[in-house]
Amino acid sequence: MFKLKVNNIDVEIEEGLTVLQACEKAGVEIPRFCYHEKLSIAGNCRMCLVEMEKSSKPIASCAMPATEGMNIKTNTPLVEKARKGVMEFLLANHPLDCPVCDQGGECDLQDQSMFYGIDKSRYKENKRSVPEKYMGPLIKTQMTRCIHCTRCIRFATEVAGVPELGAIGRGENMQITTYLEKSMESELSANVVDLCPVGALTSKPYVFEARPWELKKTETIDVMDAVGSNIRVDTYGWEVKRVLPRINEDINEEWISDKTRYACDGLLNQRLDTPYIKYKSGKFDKASWKEVYNIISDKIKSKKNSMICGISGDLVNMETLYIFKEFFSKILNSKDIECRSDHFYLNPEKRENYLFNSSINGIEESDFIFLIGTNPRLEATILNARIRKSYLKNKTKILSLNNVGNLTYPYEHLEGNTDIIKEIIEDKHVVSKIIKEAKKPIIIIGQSVLVSKSGKYIFEKIKTYLFNNKKISSDWNSLNVISENASTVGSLDLGIYHNIEGSNQVLRNLEDRKYEIVYLLGQDSLNFKKENEFIIYQGSHGDKGAGIADVILPGSAYTEQDGYFTNLEGKLQKAYKASYPPGDAKEDWLIINELSEIINQKKLFKNKDELESSMLNYLNLFKEKNLSGSFSEKNNLNFVSEKMIVRDNDYYYSNAIARASKTMFNCRKEKKIFKSTGTEG
């Protein structure tokens, strides 16, 4: 720690900070365009000029290291004159098209010109004109506005790890462009829209949709994957116009994936807004809520409880899951409920068996990362960006069991079969030594492993191996399972499964045609061919589940109801209502509550508050009970020698909302065109 002065205020700072950061510690805001906390220092806009004692000219505070005894002035006439000069140069070529620019109202250049701009320009020459660049279906360019801050280039290179942006030309003729003017391929590409301080890069799907002051802003949680990114949903009336990131250093920092940002237009398409009944002709017809409730009630009352099962989906909030469980338990007296749409292995004895135990933030502390049957770039994009950050920061050694393509960071890969895992566990492989010697190793197990024939063997043996080598303790837990869906961890916490030795018993019974009534709660991923089953579908979109249903109950999407979600590392987060469901659609918990009243003449809960309170009490008891558990080693595990294949993840079509999105369709189409050209190397 050392001291310096900022505007005659004594400031104590740590070593390694810049003058700009020191000024911010003193509570002084420094204008900037090129500087960003998460990016490397460029020092090319010069807007952050300050006066330093004994310096003959103003210095760029973003690039100057702070040292002991410095005397910095930020509000002198010299500083003001210098900043005004910089602003005049920036505006010399900038088109004054604020009224038609989507950045208007949120533009750094606009804000700074209010302080340091002048009402007229001395620049009489013709302004430069830069042709537009093609950057794909997400990013609209107006490159004449560009001030060459290079934030977008640095983000693509450093954070996204796909160096697809660069600069050509020099000085005034410099242009930012993609190589060969092709679409940006990174799943984080649209973060450059947030980073751009001027409006050169704007959101193509959002173009001319609304002004920021017209939008209602709601802070909530993303459900496109299991990471639980913190987001802000902006709505205009009923419509969700855009999704933006919120800062949360422990989870998503200040980035979000392209799917999180742009799948929101799927909330407007293929929506279920009224109940439907399928008649013998095979056609759906609109019905009232009373009609569908009575049909379901009559069907349920006519069947044995053992003939009824319920399967929940990947976007369902925890309140709905809890009342769903209570409905089966108290109304139907049944335990045949499940959250898994495939046969992945599950050991629910301890909560740590299905969590990302090292935490997302903990990735930066690791010194060895081993990926087993997972492609984090597609399964959890933000988590993958954190792995890249760990590599850049610590030179972390990264190993993958499979070659899964470009993960945005260098890694070594093994042959990808279960025999190698067996060798590692038995201390017969070089990786065994690496794990033992590592202080904070991270082993990431994907669902592709857990669905394999050896899934149980691999998971249990790896867990035992880590425990025996003291890599699972109260200080550090190296065992990590990467969930693919937002509802997975919350469902497992609430006990939405019928588990026999880790297998999915409900799905086995369903495949054996043991059920006559199937209740699909937002479940659109089930690979199931209907025969004579009576299928109830409750959800927000007319997707796969609705296609095989006999009765459709229109529910709400994640932006249209309050609800809790638990992310892959076990953090309980609340999503808030930003909009309201269309037509006659209702909140999901309310549908199940009303159906309970029709069947049993009594509601399960009086209101949402009672439901929420009951669910949170259940979770607290579950977590307390979980803390007292001890390690238990499983015996009689069957090993199967097989090729470990990482499942092909259709990134842009991973759920019902994404599949209804026109933007995701365009991204998917662009990706396929790109691959077909053979230009990806």
Side-chain angles (χ1 to χ4, degrees), residues 609-675:
D609 290 338
E610 187 185 0
L611 167 61
E612 188 177 300
S613 178
S614 180
M615 183 207 69
L616 291 173
N617 285 335
Y618 178 93
L619 279 177
N620 290 333
L621 289 168
F622 168 76
K623 288 175 184 177
E624 283 177 24
K625 185 181 176 183
N626 210 260
L627 289 171
S628 61
S630 58
F631 177 79
S632 59
E633 185 176 349
K634 292 196 179 295
N635 299 315
N636 302 320
L637 300 171
N638 296 321
F639 172 76
V640 179
S641 178
E642 59 183 319
K643 183 77 174 174
M644 191 60 65
I645 299 170
V646 179
R647 293 186 295 185
D648 189 25
N649 190 313
D650 196 347
Y651 176 75
Y652 295 108
Y653 268 20
S654 60
N655 57 60
I657 296 173
R659 286 190 286 272
S661 166
K662 292 180 181 177
T663 308
M664 293 296 99
F665 170 79
N666 291 333
C667 290
R668 190 169 179 256
K669 183 180 171 185
E670 191 76 40
K671 189 84 88 174
K672 284 186 174 180
I673 291 171
F674 177 63
K675 283 185 176 181

Side-chain angles (χ1 to χ4, degrees), residues 1-5 9-14 66-71:
M1 303 288 283
F2 56 85
K3 289 183 178 179
L4 70 154
K5 283 190 175 183
I9 300 169
D10 287 325
V11 185
E12 192 173 31
I13 62 168
E14 323 74 76
T67 57
E68 179 76 45
M70 271 186 170
N71 190 0

Side-chain angles (χ1 to χ4, degrees), residues 386-396 398 409-410:
R386 196 66 75 114
I387 296 175
R388 172 172 171 80
K389 187 178 178 182
S390 177
Y391 167 76
L392 293 175
K393 183 180 174 184
N394 308 322
K395 294 297 175 188
T396 306
I398 303 166
Y409 42 80

Side-chain angles (χ1 to χ4, degrees), residues 52 126 192 340 344 360 522 543 568 608 612 627 631 646 678 681:
M52 184 176 71
N126 291 329
V192 299
R340 294 170 288 175
F344 78 78
I360 298 169
D543 202 72
L568 52 75
K608 183 74 174 289
E612 188 177 300
L627 289 171
F631 177 79
V646 179

